[in-house]
Amino acid sequence: MKILLIEDEPSLLLSVKHYLEEEGYIVSTANTFQDAIEKLNDYDYDCLVVDITLPDGSGLDIIKELKKEKTNVGIIIISAKNSLDDRLMGLDLGADDYLTKPFHLSELNARIKSVLRRRFFEGNPKIIFQEISILPENQEVFVNAESVELTRKEYELLVFFISNKNRILSKSAIAEHLWGDSMDLADSHDFIYTHIKNLRRKLIEKGCPDYVKTRYGAGYTFSEKP
């Protein structure tokens, strides 16, 4: 899952980024209003963690811009201000949650997981697709109740496929989801084929049909339909 962290305090920015990356998220950062707007224009994110007070603007204005586009991104506000007005304004604008500094990083992680479940899987603690069951809290995958050992990227790819089932996903969209800003450094998308091939093999070995369909010239779909 891709997160954009918007925070102007360098030490907090680095500590949150490092912690979330250790938890398996792809994290991009911005420390100004303008930088955040540019990142949002260039990439799609699953969740936004945004400070209200920025040196050149307000995090609330970023939320306003996002909501104009009717995006499905999850939004968590973090702020040193423990003001009821700020909290209510942020939630009224469409934010999903609000954390007051200082906060425990584990609490932020729990809030992010909760937001992502609500946004993409209707709050369910378990993701189910046919005989595939996923427990996002522990990043565990089962096929017919039998555990499937996936690498982190294979797991992220499977969740991305299921959350976008029956949609054509281009190689660029998959690369952006799995690697975020770092996708620009790749010379080709051959590595995507490798991850998809390994994921397909592991699922089929456990008894799944081949749900991944190649759409030549367009990308891939994940569907139970032939």
Side-chain angles (χ1 to χ4, degrees), residues 83-102:
S83 164
L84 179 61
D85 289 341
D86 285 333
R87 184 190 299 263
L88 292 177
M89 184 177 296
L91 295 174
D92 284 344
L93 288 173
D96 298 278
D97 211 337
Y98 187 111
L99 268 178
T100 302
K101 300 177 186 177

Side-chain angles (χ1 to χ4, degrees), residues 75-193:
I75 300 172
I76 298 175
I77 294 172
I78 55 172
S79 177
K81 294 182 179 180
N82 192 16
S83 164
L84 179 61
D85 289 341
D86 285 333
R87 184 190 299 263
L88 292 177
M89 184 177 296
L91 295 174
D92 284 344
L93 288 173
D96 298 278
D97 211 337
Y98 187 111
L99 268 178
T100 302
K101 300 177 186 177
F103 52 83
H104 292 289
L105 295 176
S106 57
E107 182 180 4
L108 174 61
N109 187 29
R111 301 286 185 99
I112 290 172
K113 289 180 178 179
S114 178
V115 166
L116 293 174
R117 283 198 301 269
R118 291 201 303 269
R119 287 283 176 175
F120 300 107
F121 302 106
E122 300 177 349
N124 294 322
K126 180 186 291 187
I127 303 167
I128 297 177
F129 178 89
Q130 301 296 91
E131 61 279 283
I132 301 172
S133 299
I134 301 174
L135 300 178
E137 191 70 24
N138 300 316
Q139 295 191 356
E140 294 178 325
V141 177
F142 300 88
V143 173
N144 293 320
E146 185 178 354
S147 178
V148 183
E149 295 296 326
L150 300 179
T151 66
R152 178 175 290 178
K153 291 302 181 187
E154 290 164 2
Y155 170 83
E156 292 172 358
L157 179 60
L158 177 61
V159 173
F160 187 51
F161 271 142
I162 292 177
S163 62
N164 291 278
K165 58 181 181 289
N166 302 319
R167 294 178 55 192
I168 296 177
L169 300 173
S170 68
K171 290 182 179 180
S172 294
I174 295 172
E176 183 184 322
H177 180 80
L178 294 181
W179 280 273
D181 298 354
S182 301
M183 65 168 283
D184 294 335
L185 303 177
D187 295 328
S188 72
H189 290 152
D190 291 344
F191 52 86
I192 296 175
Y193 172 76

Side-chain angles (χ1 to χ4, degrees), residues 1-7 13 16 20 25-33 35-41 43-51 62 66 73-76 78 112 181:
M1 295 291 181
K2 286 195 309 175
I3 294 174
L4 178 59
L5 171 62
I6 306 170
E7 167 61 54
L13 182 80
V16 173
L20 293 179
Y25 298 103
I26 298 167
V27 184
S28 298
T29 61
N31 55 15
T32 66
F33 177 90
D35 188 21
I37 293 298
E38 290 175 1
K39 289 281 178 67
L40 288 167
N41 287 334
Y43 300 100
D44 292 323
Y45 297 92
D46 299 302
C47 187
L48 201 70
V49 178
V50 55
D51 191 2
I62 294 174
L66 282 172
V73 63
I75 300 172
I76 298 175
I78 55 172
I112 290 172
D181 298 354

